[in-house]
Coordinates of all heavy atoms in Angstrom, one line a residue:
I90 N -32.7 -54.6 -56.8 CA -33.9 -53.9 -56.4 C -35.1 -54.8 -56.6 O -35.3 -55.4 -57.6 CB -34.1 -52.6 -57.2 CG1 -32.9 -51.6 -57.0 CG2 -35.4 -51.9 -56.9 CD1 -33.0 -50.4 -57.8
T91 N -36.0 -54.8 -55.6 CA -37.3 -55.5 -55.7 C -38.4 -54.6 -55.4 O -38.3 -53.7 -54.5 CB -37.3 -56.7 -54.8 OG1 -38.6 -57.4 -54.9 CG2 -37.1 -56.4 -53.3
T92 N -39.6 -54.8 -56.1 CA -40.8 -54.0 -55.8 C -41.9 -54.9 -55.3 O -43.0 -54.4 -55.1 CB -41.2 -53.3 -57.1 OG1 -41.5 -54.3 -58.1 CG2 -40.2 -52.3 -57.6
T93 N -41.6 -56.1 -55.0 CA -42.7 -57.0 -54.6 C -43.3 -56.6 -53.3 O -44.5 -56.7 -53.1 CB -42.1 -58.5 -54.4 OG1 -41.7 -58.9 -55.7 CG2 -43.2 -59.4 -53.9
G94 N -42.5 -56.0 -52.4 CA -43.0 -55.6 -51.1 C -43.9 -54.4 -51.1 O -44.4 -54.0 -50.1
G95 N -44.1 -53.8 -52.3 CA -44.9 -52.6 -52.4 C -44.1 -51.4 -52.8 O -44.2 -50.9 -53.9
S96 N -43.1 -51.0 -52.0 CA -42.2 -49.9 -52.3 C -40.9 -50.5 -52.8 O -40.4 -51.5 -52.3 CB -41.9 -49.0 -51.1 OG -43.1 -48.5 -50.6
P97 N -40.3 -49.9 -53.8 CA -39.0 -50.4 -54.3 C -37.9 -50.3 -53.2 O -37.9 -49.4 -52.4 CB -38.6 -49.6 -55.5 CG -39.5 -48.4 -55.4 CD -40.7 -48.7 -54.6
E98 N -37.1 -51.4 -53.1 CA -36.0 -51.4 -52.0 C -34.8 -52.1 -52.6 O -34.9 -53.0 -53.4 CB -36.5 -52.0 -50.8 CG -37.0 -53.5 -50.9 CD -37.4 -54.1 -49.6 OE1 -36.8 -53.8 -48.6 OE2 -38.3 -55.0 -49.6
V99 N -33.7 -51.7 -52.1 CA -32.4 -52.4 -52.4 C -32.2 -53.4 -51.3 O -32.1 -53.1 -50.1 CB -31.2 -51.4 -52.5 CG1 -29.9 -52.2 -52.7 CG2 -31.4 -50.4 -53.6
I100 N -32.2 -54.7 -51.7 CA -32.1 -55.8 -50.7 C -30.7 -56.4 -50.7 O -30.4 -57.2 -49.8 CB -33.2 -56.8 -50.9 CG1 -33.0 -57.5 -52.2 CG2 -34.5 -56.2 -50.7 CD1 -34.0 -58.7 -52.4
E101 N -29.9 -56.1 -51.7 CA -28.5 -56.8 -51.8 C -27.7 -56.0 -52.7 O -28.1 -55.3 -53.6 CB -28.7 -58.2 -52.3 CG -27.4 -59.0 -52.3 CD -26.8 -59.3 -50.9 OE1 -26.1 -58.4 -50.4 OE2 -27.1 -60.3 -50.3
I102 N -26.3 -56.0 -52.5 CA -25.4 -55.5 -53.4 C -24.3 -56.5 -53.7 O -24.2 -57.5 -53.0 CB -24.7 -54.2 -52.9 CG1 -23.9 -54.5 -51.6 CG2 -25.7 -53.1 -52.6 CD1 -23.0 -53.4 -51.1
N103 N -23.7 -56.3 -54.9 CA -22.6 -57.2 -55.3 C -21.4 -56.4 -55.8 O -21.5 -55.4 -56.5 CB -23.2 -58.1 -56.5 CG -22.1 -59.1 -56.9 OD1 -21.8 -60.0 -56.2 ND2 -21.6 -58.9 -58.1
N104 N -20.2 -56.8 -55.3 CA -19.0 -56.2 -55.7 C -18.3 -56.9 -56.8 O -17.7 -57.9 -56.6 CB -18.0 -56.1 -54.5 CG -18.6 -55.2 -53.4 OD1 -19.4 -55.7 -52.6 ND2 -18.2 -54.0 -53.3
S105 N -18.6 -56.5 -58.0 CA -18.0 -57.1 -59.2 C -18.2 -56.3 -60.4 O -19.2 -55.5 -60.5 CB -18.7 -58.5 -59.4 OG -18.3 -59.1 -60.6
E106 N -17.4 -56.4 -61.4 CA -17.6 -55.7 -62.7 C -18.8 -56.2 -63.4 O -19.4 -55.4 -64.2 CB -16.3 -55.8 -63.5 CG -15.1 -55.1 -63.0 CD -13.9 -55.1 -63.9 OE1 -14.1 -55.6 -65.1 OE2 -12.9 -54.6 -63.6
S107 N -19.1 -57.5 -63.3 CA -20.2 -58.0 -64.0 C -21.5 -57.9 -63.1 O -21.4 -58.2 -61.9 CB -20.0 -59.5 -64.4 OG -19.7 -60.3 -63.3
I108 N -22.6 -57.7 -63.8 CA -23.9 -57.6 -63.0 C -24.4 -59.0 -62.9 O -24.6 -59.7 -63.9 CB -24.9 -56.7 -63.7 CG1 -24.4 -55.3 -63.8 CG2 -26.2 -56.7 -63.0 CD1 -25.3 -54.3 -64.6
P109 N -24.7 -59.5 -61.7 CA -25.3 -60.8 -61.5 C -26.6 -61.0 -62.1 O -27.3 -60.0 -62.5 CB -25.3 -61.0 -59.9 CG -24.6 -59.8 -59.4 CD -24.6 -58.7 -60.4
K110 N -27.1 -62.2 -62.2 CA -28.4 -62.5 -62.7 C -29.3 -62.7 -61.5 O -28.9 -63.3 -60.5 CB -28.4 -63.8 -63.6 CG -27.9 -63.5 -65.0 CD -28.3 -64.6 -65.9 CE -28.1 -64.2 -67.4 NZ -28.5 -65.2 -68.3
A111 N -30.5 -62.3 -61.6 CA -31.6 -62.5 -60.6 C -32.5 -63.6 -61.1 O -32.9 -63.6 -62.3 CB -32.3 -61.3 -60.3
Y112 N -33.0 -64.5 -60.2 CA -33.9 -65.6 -60.6 C -35.1 -65.5 -59.7 O -35.1 -65.0 -58.6 CB -33.2 -66.9 -60.5 CG -31.9 -67.1 -61.3 CD1 -30.7 -66.7 -60.7 CD2 -31.9 -67.5 -62.6 CE1 -29.5 -66.8 -61.4 CE2 -30.8 -67.6 -63.3 CZ -29.6 -67.3 -62.7 OH -28.4 -67.4 -63.5
G113 N -36.2 -66.1 -60.3 CA -37.4 -66.2 -59.5 C -38.0 -67.6 -59.6 O -37.6 -68.3 -60.6
V114 N -38.9 -68.0 -58.7 CA -39.6 -69.2 -58.8 C -41.1 -69.0 -58.8 O -41.6 -68.2 -58.1 CB -39.2 -70.2 -57.7 CG1 -37.8 -70.7 -57.8 CG2 -39.3 -69.5 -56.3
A115 N -41.7 -69.7 -59.7 CA -43.2 -69.8 -59.8 C -43.6 -71.1 -59.2 O -43.1 -72.1 -59.6 CB -43.7 -69.6 -61.2
I116 N -44.6 -71.1 -58.3 CA -45.0 -72.3 -57.6 C -46.5 -72.5 -57.7 O -47.3 -71.6 -57.5 CB -44.6 -72.2 -56.1 CG1 -43.2 -71.9 -55.9 CG2 -45.1 -73.5 -55.4 CD1 -42.2 -73.0 -56.2
D117 N -46.9 -73.8 -58.0 CA -48.3 -74.2 -57.8 C -48.3 -75.0 -56.6 O -47.8 -76.2 -56.6 CB -48.8 -74.9 -59.1 CG -50.1 -75.6 -58.8 OD1 -51.0 -75.0 -58.1 OD2 -50.3 -76.8 -59.2
L118 N -48.9 -74.5 -55.5 CA -49.0 -75.3 -54.3 C -50.4 -76.0 -54.3 O -51.4 -75.5 -53.9 CB -48.9 -74.3 -53.1 CG -49.1 -75.0 -51.7 CD1 -48.0 -76.1 -51.5 CD2 -48.9 -73.9 -50.6
G119 N -50.4 -77.2 -54.9 CA -51.6 -78.0 -55.0 C -51.9 -78.8 -53.8 O -51.0 -79.1 -52.9
T120 N -53.1 -79.3 -53.7 CA -53.5 -80.1 -52.5 C -52.7 -81.4 -52.5 O -52.4 -81.9 -51.5 CB -55.0 -80.4 -52.6 OG1 -55.7 -79.2 -52.8 CG2 -55.5 -81.1 -51.4
T121 N -52.4 -81.9 -53.7 CA -51.7 -83.2 -53.8 C -50.3 -83.0 -54.2 O -49.4 -83.7 -53.7 CB -52.4 -84.1 -54.9 OG1 -53.8 -84.3 -54.5 CG2 -51.8 -85.5 -55.0
T122 N -50.0 -82.1 -55.1 CA -48.6 -82.0 -55.7 C -48.2 -80.5 -55.6 O -49.0 -79.6 -55.6 CB -48.6 -82.5 -57.1 OG1 -49.5 -81.7 -57.9 CG2 -48.9 -83.9 -57.2
V123 N -46.9 -80.3 -55.7 CA -46.3 -79.0 -55.8 C -45.5 -79.0 -57.2 O -44.7 -79.9 -57.4 CB -45.3 -78.7 -54.7 CG1 -44.6 -77.4 -54.9 CG2 -46.1 -78.7 -53.4
A124 N -45.7 -78.0 -58.0 CA -45.0 -77.9 -59.3 C -44.3 -76.5 -59.3 O -44.8 -75.6 -58.7 CB -45.9 -78.0 -60.5
A125 N -43.1 -76.5 -59.9 CA -42.3 -75.3 -59.8 C -41.5 -75.0 -61.0 O -41.1 -75.9 -61.8 CB -41.4 -75.4 -58.6
L126 N -41.3 -73.7 -61.3 CA -40.5 -73.2 -62.4 C -39.4 -72.3 -61.9 O -39.7 -71.5 -61.1 CB -41.4 -72.5 -63.5 CG -42.6 -73.2 -64.1 CD1 -43.4 -72.2 -64.9 CD2 -42.2 -74.4 -64.9
L127 N -38.2 -72.4 -62.5 CA -37.1 -71.5 -62.2 C -37.0 -70.6 -63.4 O -36.9 -71.0 -64.5 CB -35.8 -72.2 -62.0 CG -34.6 -71.3 -61.7 CD1 -34.7 -70.6 -60.4 CD2 -33.3 -72.1 -61.8
V128 N -37.0 -69.3 -63.2 CA -37.1 -68.3 -64.2 C -36.0 -67.3 -64.1 O -35.6 -66.8 -63.0 CB -38.5 -67.5 -64.2 CG1 -38.5 -66.5 -65.3 CG2 -39.6 -68.5 -64.3
D129 N -35.3 -67.0 -65.3 CA -34.3 -65.9 -65.4 C -35.0 -64.6 -65.4 O -35.8 -64.3 -66.4 CB -33.5 -66.2 -66.6 CG -32.3 -65.2 -66.7 OD1 -32.4 -64.1 -66.1 OD2 -31.4 -65.4 -67.5
L130 N -34.9 -63.8 -64.4 CA -35.6 -62.5 -64.3 C -35.1 -61.4 -65.2 O -35.6 -60.3 -65.3 CB -35.7 -62.0 -62.9 CG -36.5 -62.9 -61.9 CD1 -36.6 -62.3 -60.5 CD2 -37.9 -63.1 -62.4
S131 N -34.0 -61.7 -65.9 CA -33.5 -60.8 -66.9 C -34.0 -61.0 -68.3 O -34.0 -60.1 -69.2 CB -31.9 -60.8 -67.0 OG -31.5 -62.1 -67.4
T132 N -34.6 -62.2 -68.5 CA -35.1 -62.5 -69.8 C -36.6 -63.1 -69.8 O -37.3 -63.1 -70.8 CB -34.2 -63.6 -70.5 OG1 -34.3 -64.8 -69.7 CG2 -32.8 -63.1 -70.6
G133 N -37.0 -63.7 -68.6 CA -38.2 -64.3 -68.5 C -38.2 -65.8 -69.0 O -39.2 -66.5 -69.0
K134 N -37.0 -66.3 -69.3 CA -36.8 -67.6 -69.8 C -37.0 -68.6 -68.7 O -36.4 -68.4 -67.6 CB -35.5 -67.8 -70.5 CG -35.3 -69.2 -71.1 CD -33.9 -69.3 -71.8 CE -33.7 -70.7 -72.3 NZ -32.4 -70.8 -73.0

């Protein structure tokens, strides 16, 4: 489930006993450089 689009929506399902992990990326789109972080959305790490 994601709420980024405004309203919550189910965008994918997974058939498994274990719940998958969701990840996100934070990006700084600079004039000269691009810097990025990969984040575990279940912990914020």
Side-chain angles (χ1 to χ4, degrees):
I90 298 178
T91 178
T92 58
T93 297
S96 301
E98 60 176 326
V99 175
I100 62 172
E101 185 63 275
I102 62 170
N103 182 69
N104 297 83
S105 174
E106 290 187 5
S107 60
I108 298 179
K110 281 197 171 184
Y112 302 92
V114 287
I116 305 289
D117 168 39
L118 179 56
T120 310
T121 304
T122 59
V123 174
L126 303 174
L127 177 69
V128 180
D129 184 338
L130 294 183
S131 63
T132 64
K134 183 179 179 181

